[in-house]
């Protein structure tokens, strides 16, 4: 069993390699090989119809469209956790407008460098990127109106801490929209323990009910599933970890892998009594 620090280093190395790919290859984690041999991009959704979409920043690493559901308004401050090459940040920037602010957080130096290059190319001076860990977000308390994240929280070993940090950086009344991977039922042990599948967002996923409970325990309200879609992992990927008999058993079972987009808000901090009541 790998330690949390070892798992983080695994993710950092793999996504650093992806960020360093040549531009012509970056849109596919598969490189020159068959796409189904890589798990990193089989869950991505199509951003092409979203305003603000920057193709050069889309590495096909997500599992949803959180910015589509995030209810971002002009002038707001948005934080994107696990911002990669900047894709969701640039979509969010379209929603905030030039008077808003977008902060991307990623702990892979190569991704930060690539995102900054993309922002400079687009001429966005209100989109910035900071290197940091989601378990210790490098942002002051109550900074953000909205937090978004796309297929990243499942990679964080301490999800309780991550949601506590999201709560801390949101303003009272602020909210998040997060796309992530969750599971229903039990994945095969071999898949749960496979390092590549962890970096590919699958074996780090937890049960959907536990995921939503973690959000509520962190203090969030209005926890709402905005979208849920099944994820199909091709046989040739699973056969790297399972025998044909084990694969057949898995396919016949009830366990499933899903892309979840979930909304929740930080309580607004209303006064505990009416003005002049003397109880506050």
């Amino acid at each position: 069993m790998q330690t949390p620090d070892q798992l983080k280093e695994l993710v950092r190395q793999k996504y650093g390699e992806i960020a360093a790919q040549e531009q012509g290859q970056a849109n596919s984690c598969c490189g020159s090989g068959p796409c189904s041999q890589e798990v990193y991009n089989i869950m991505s959704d199509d951003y092409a119809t979203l305003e603000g979409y920057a193709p050069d920043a889309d590495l096909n690493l997500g599992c949803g469209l959180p910015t589509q559901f995030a209810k971002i308004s002009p002038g707001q401050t948005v934080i994107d956790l696990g911002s990669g090459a900047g894709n969701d940040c640039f979509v969010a920037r379209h929603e905030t407008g030039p008077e808003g602010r977008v902060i991307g957080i990623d702990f892979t130096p190569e991704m930060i460098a690539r995102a900054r290059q993309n922002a400079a190319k687009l001429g966005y001076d209100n989109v910035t990127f900071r290197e940091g860990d989601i378990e210790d977000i490098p942002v002051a308390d109550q900074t953000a109106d909205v937090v978004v994240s796309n297929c990243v929280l499942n990679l964080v070993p301490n999800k309780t801490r991550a949601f506590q940090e999201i709560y801390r950086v949101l303003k009272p009344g602020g909210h998040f929209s997060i796309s992530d991977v969750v599971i229903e039922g039990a994945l095969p042990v071999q898949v749960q323990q496979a390092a590549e599948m962890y970096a590919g967002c699958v074996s780090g996923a937890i049960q959907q009910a536990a995921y939503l409970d973690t959000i509520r325990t962190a203090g969030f309200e209005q926890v709402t599933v905005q979208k849920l879609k099944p994820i199909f992992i091709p046989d040739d990927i699973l056969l790297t970890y399972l025998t044909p008999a084990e694969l057949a058993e898995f396919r016949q079972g009830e366990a499933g892998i899903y892309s979840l987009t979930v909304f929740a808000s930080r309580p607004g901090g209303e006064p505990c009594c009416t003005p002049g009541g003397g109880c506050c």
Side-chain angles (χ1 to χ4, degrees):
M1 180 68 70
Q2 299 190 66
T3 68
D5 285 343
Q6 288 172 328
L7 289 171
K8 287 181 182 181
E9 186 57 29
L10 165 71
V11 173
R12 183 182 284 110
Q13 289 179 0
K14 183 59 186 181
Y15 284 87
E17 293 170 6
I18 293 170
Q21 289 180 12
E22 294 297 326
Q23 186 62 48
Q25 295 179 325
N27 288 337
S28 173
C29 305
C30 313
S32 59
C35 270
S36 59
Q37 296 299 324
E38 292 277 8
V39 73
Y40 308 97
N41 63 357
I42 64 174
M43 298 175 279
S44 58
D45 274 349
D46 184 9
Y47 272 79
T49 61
L50 297 188
E51 296 289 341
Y53 172 63
D56 287 349
D58 185 5
L59 304 185
N60 291 327
L61 299 175
C63 59
L65 299 172
T67 42
Q68 184 181 43
F69 296 93
K71 305 177 183 179
I72 300 168
S73 297
Q76 290 187 321
T77 295
V78 180
I79 295 175
D80 178 19
L81 299 178
S83 48
N87 188 30
D88 281 293
C89 287
F90 302 139
V91 175
R93 193 266 181 190
H94 177 271
E95 300 302 312
T96 68
E99 66 274 22
R101 182 166 63 131
V102 181
I103 303 169
I105 307 294
D106 203 289
F107 81 159
T108 307
E110 295 87 349
M111 285 293 187
I112 292 291
R114 187 158 184 167
R116 288 171 175 167
Q117 291 171 0
N118 286 329
K121 182 167 56 178
L122 292 166
Y124 293 160
D125 58 7
N126 62 335
V127 181
T128 59
F129 297 92
R130 302 179 187 180
E131 185 177 340
D133 194 320
I134 294 174
E135 293 178 13
D136 188 17
I137 301 172
V139 176
D141 295 358
Q142 300 183 19
T143 294
D145 299 287
V146 181
V147 168
V148 296
S149 186
N150 195 348
C151 212
V152 174
L153 270 292
N154 58 81
L155 298 173
V156 177
N158 191 339
K159 295 172 179 59
T160 296
R161 174 66 179 168
F163 280 110
Q164 290 171 343
E165 278 290 276
I166 294 170
Y167 188 97
R168 178 184 65 81
V169 301
L170 276 170
K171 299 175 183 178
H175 64 269
F176 70 70
S177 184
I178 291 174
S179 293
D180 217 343
V181 177
V182 295
I183 59 176
E184 291 284 348
L187 291 179
V189 173
Q190 300 93 317
V191 173
Q192 284 283 9
Q193 294 178 345
E196 182 183 12
M197 293 292 280
Y198 186 90
C201 305
V202 176
S203 64
I206 63 174
Q207 297 288 326
Q208 178 181 335
Y211 193 97
L212 298 177
D213 284 344
T214 301
I215 294 171
R216 296 186 184 98
T217 300
F220 289 100
E221 298 178 342
Q222 298 179 303
V223 180
T224 306
V225 175
Q226 296 173 302
K227 184 177 180 179
L228 187 70
K229 69 170 185 177
I231 294 169
F232 179 83
I233 299 181
D235 288 356
D236 59 334
I237 290 177
L238 291 177
L239 283 171
T240 305
Y241 312 102
L242 305 175
T243 67
E246 290 168 337
L247 174 61
E249 182 180 359
F250 174 62
R251 292 293 190 212
Q252 293 169 4
E254 296 183 356
I257 304 168
Y258 296 87
S259 167
L260 169 83
T261 300
V262 58
F263 171 98
S265 63
R266 174 172 170 167
E270 296 84 2
C272 63
C273 59
T274 58
C279 63
C280 293

